[in-house]
Amino acid sequence: MSEHSLMVAMRDPKYTKELIDETALRLFVEKGIAETTIRDISSAAGIAEGTLYRHYVSKEHLAWELFSKNFTAFAVELDQLHRKHDTLKAKIDATIRHYCTFFDKDPILFSYLLLELHGQLRKVTPDMPNPVTVLRRFIGEGMARGEIPRKDREIAAAMVLGVVLHVAVSKVYGRTKQSLTALADSIVAAAWRVLEA
Amino acid sequence: MSEHSLMVAMRDPKYTKELIDETALRLFVEKGIAETTIRDISSAAGIAEGTLYRHYVSKEHLAWELFSKNFTAFAVELDQLHRKHDTLKAKIDATIRHYCTFFDKDPILFSYLLLELHGQLRKVTPDMPNPVTVLRRFIGEGMARGEIPRKDREIAAAMVLGVVLHVAVSKVYGRTKQSLTALADSIVAAAWRVLEA
DNA sequence: GTAGTATGTGAGCGAACATTCACTCATGGT
DNA sequence: ACCATGAGTGAATGTTCGCTCACATACTAC
């Protein structure tokens, strides 16, 4: 038995990866990806540095996987949601509620996607499911059918996300405790007020 | 004369600092602060690393000065603008146009303030002029005078910025060439539509 | 001239960092 | 009882990067 040997508490492998994901996500949001070291993550998670590399080939891959997996999942859900509704109004309603629910379910994950969007965006290929593409398409379709006035095209497109995202952002930066879902009705109403000019 | 000596083209010191500022700002926006090295900045600016340290004591100070100087200047201008107007509607109008003008005047600087807000926010002290504080106050005052309905308080506060910022953001991320100022009328109308429910 | 000051330079330093790898050992199959 | 497997470990390694400094050059004052 070597002098370096220690007790090794084996845990469920599934649990270890989840532990890494949760810890990394939290630290990435708190400090940013670049300011978070592998040592930060591993010590906060109570694992060894090498353990992290059993699950991810690099810190960059870890950050990217946490982003892309959830980014595309969100886009796919949004797309499926849109297929269930016909009118623009119903789609906007569903979209905003989807954002609100997602925020309330996991505010840290939501913050991560929001805050790291710019940094990760260069790796997003056009073939990846993308919330922005989904939203552009349905705004365009709604406008083609005359459901919203064409003159407000650009404002309208930015607005749908603008309303809900900025309430969310003010919560990420602020200390508000209230859930976003509780505000969904007001947000839907506000967005629609802008669009049906 | 040492074997290492080279021609040294002395330039206007004022120009050198501006060169550093412009180059650093551009790279910070393109790659993020953490991913931009001193070597990146100096080589892109065509100066030596040491030269940068003649003008800034550290990379952190450089990033912070580029942020805080413009962040507070923007807040001060916004505050002065508000003092010139009485009604909430006039203030919102002026605010949105101010944002649009600022964006058009220097899109890179605007992007920097937007993208690095989260990272730099921890250094913003309460006594510093702050756009958010200015906006909170005038929304609160407008609501106290009954100019907008109290029930939409949270939405309203997020909206004023939400509308204009998200059009701006979609331009930062997108490839749109059109100026923001050209859209100012539509944005003002959209914001007001939400607020006067 | 020469002394003094301001500015520019880039090789080199050291600390921080991501990543590797030889090793340990709990577990499950035979 | 024995072995095979692979998750877990953390000291060691090589690299990156912010920053320093000895020196070079230019400008100013005398």
Side-chain angles (χ1 to χ4, degrees):
Chain A
M1 183 155 144
S2 132
E3 54 178 325
H4 293 303
S5 75
L6 288 168
M7 281 302 295
V8 176
M10 276 288 182
R11 39 189 126 61
D12 183 358
K14 181 87 186 306
Y15 174 70
T16 300
K17 190 166 190 190
E18 278 172 15
L19 189 63
I20 291 171
D21 288 359
E22 279 169 30
T23 310
L25 201 59
R26 180 170 56 80
L27 292 177
F28 284 165
V29 171
E30 281 172 15
K31 315 202 292 174
I33 294 173
E35 287 73 21
T36 303
T37 67
I38 294 291
R39 284 178 186 24
D40 288 338
I41 300 169
S42 54
S43 79
I47 59 164
E49 291 173 53
T51 305
L52 198 148
Y53 287 93
R54 292 270 174 210
H55 298 272
Y56 292 100
V57 299
S58 72
K59 178 184 150 180
E60 202 181 335
H61 280 75
L62 167 59
W64 170 242
E65 227 177 272
L66 289 179
F67 181 86
S68 62
K69 196 179 62 183
N70 294 293
F71 185 73
T72 55
F74 185 83
V76 168
E77 284 167 26
L78 197 61
D79 190 53
Q80 289 169 346
L81 208 55
H82 281 183
R83 293 181 198 285
K84 287 197 213 154
H85 299 279
D86 295 326
T87 68
L88 186 70
K89 191 160 190 171
K91 284 182 182 181
I92 286 174
D93 191 289
T95 301
I96 289 176
R97 284 176 207 285
H98 186 231
Y99 270 85
C100 291
T101 308
F102 185 79
F103 177 88
D104 286 341
K105 197 167 56 188
D106 196 342
I108 292 178
L109 178 56
F110 191 97
S111 306
Y112 182 64
L113 295 181
L114 209 58
L115 295 170
E116 300 297 342
L117 181 65
H118 180 246
Q120 303 290 328
L121 213 56
R122 78 196 70 210
K123 295 187 203 159
V124 176
T125 55
D127 58 294
M128 284 173 60
N130 187 328
V132 177
T133 310
V134 175
L135 292 172
R136 275 224 182 96
R137 197 189 56 224
F138 94 92
I139 289 276
E141 288 171 0
M143 228 143 20
R145 288 199 305 268
E147 293 188 71
I148 52 175
R150 197 166 287 268
K151 72 178 170 75
D152 275 340
R153 180 192 179 81
E154 197 159 10
I155 311 290
M159 268 301 306
V160 176
L161 271 183
V163 186
V164 62
L165 281 188
H166 258 274
V167 179
V169 166
S170 73
K171 281 178 176 297
V172 171
Y173 287 133
R175 65 264 125 254
T176 332
K177 294 283 169 28
Q178 200 188 357
S179 81
L180 253 196
T181 311
L183 288 171
D185 285 339
S186 302
I187 297 174
V188 167
W192 197 245
R193 236 173 279 144
V194 171
L195 293 177
E196 65 182 357
Chain B
M1 181 157 151
S2 134
E3 53 178 325
H4 295 300
S5 76
L6 290 166
M7 282 301 297
V8 176
M10 276 285 184
R11 44 189 120 64
D12 183 357
K14 181 89 187 306
Y15 174 70
T16 301
K17 189 166 190 187
E18 277 171 17
L19 190 63
I20 292 171
D21 288 358
E22 279 168 29
T23 310
L25 201 59
R26 180 171 56 80
L27 293 177
F28 284 165
V29 170
E30 281 172 14
K31 315 201 294 174
I33 294 173
E35 288 73 21
T36 304
T37 68
I38 295 292
R39 286 169 182 46
D40 288 337
I41 299 169
S42 54
S43 80
I47 61 165
E49 291 174 53
T51 306
L52 197 148
Y53 286 93
R54 293 261 179 223
H55 298 273
Y56 291 100
V57 300
S58 72
K59 178 185 155 180
E60 202 181 335
H61 278 78
L62 167 59
W64 171 241
E65 225 177 274
L66 289 179
F67 181 86
S68 63
K69 195 178 61 182
N70 294 295
F71 184 74
T72 55
F74 184 82
V76 168
E77 285 167 25
L78 197 60
D79 190 52
Q80 288 169 347
L81 208 55
H82 280 182
R83 292 180 198 286
K84 288 197 215 156
H85 299 279
D86 293 327
T87 67
L88 185 69
K89 190 160 190 170
K91 285 183 181 180
I92 286 174
D93 191 290
T95 300
I96 289 175
R97 283 175 209 286
H98 185 231
Y99 270 85
C100 291
T101 308
F102 185 79
F103 177 88
D104 285 342
K105 198 167 54 187
D106 195 342
I108 291 178
L109 178 56
F110 191 98
S111 307
Y112 182 65
L113 296 181
L114 208 59
L115 295 170
E116 299 298 343
L117 182 65
H118 181 245
Q120 302 290 328
L121 213 57
R122 76 195 73 212
K123 294 186 202 157
V124 176
T125 55
D127 59 294
M128 285 173 60
N130 188 328
V132 177
T133 310
V134 174
L135 292 171
R136 275 226 183 94
R137 195 188 58 224
F138 94 92
I139 289 276
E141 288 171 0
M143 227 144 18
R145 289 200 304 270
E147 292 188 71
I148 50 175
R150 197 166 287 269
K151 73 178 171 72
D152 275 339
R153 179 190 181 82
E154 197 159 10
I155 311 290
M159 269 302 306
V160 176
L161 272 183
V163 186
V164 63
L165 282 188
H166 260 273
V167 179
V169 166
S170 73
K171 283 179 174 295
V172 171
Y173 287 133
R175 67 263 125 254
T176 333
K177 294 280 168 33
Q178 199 188 359
S179 80
L180 253 196
T181 311
L183 288 171
D185 285 340
S186 302
I187 297 175
V188 167
W192 196 246
R193 234 173 282 144
V194 170
L195 293 177
E196 65 184 357

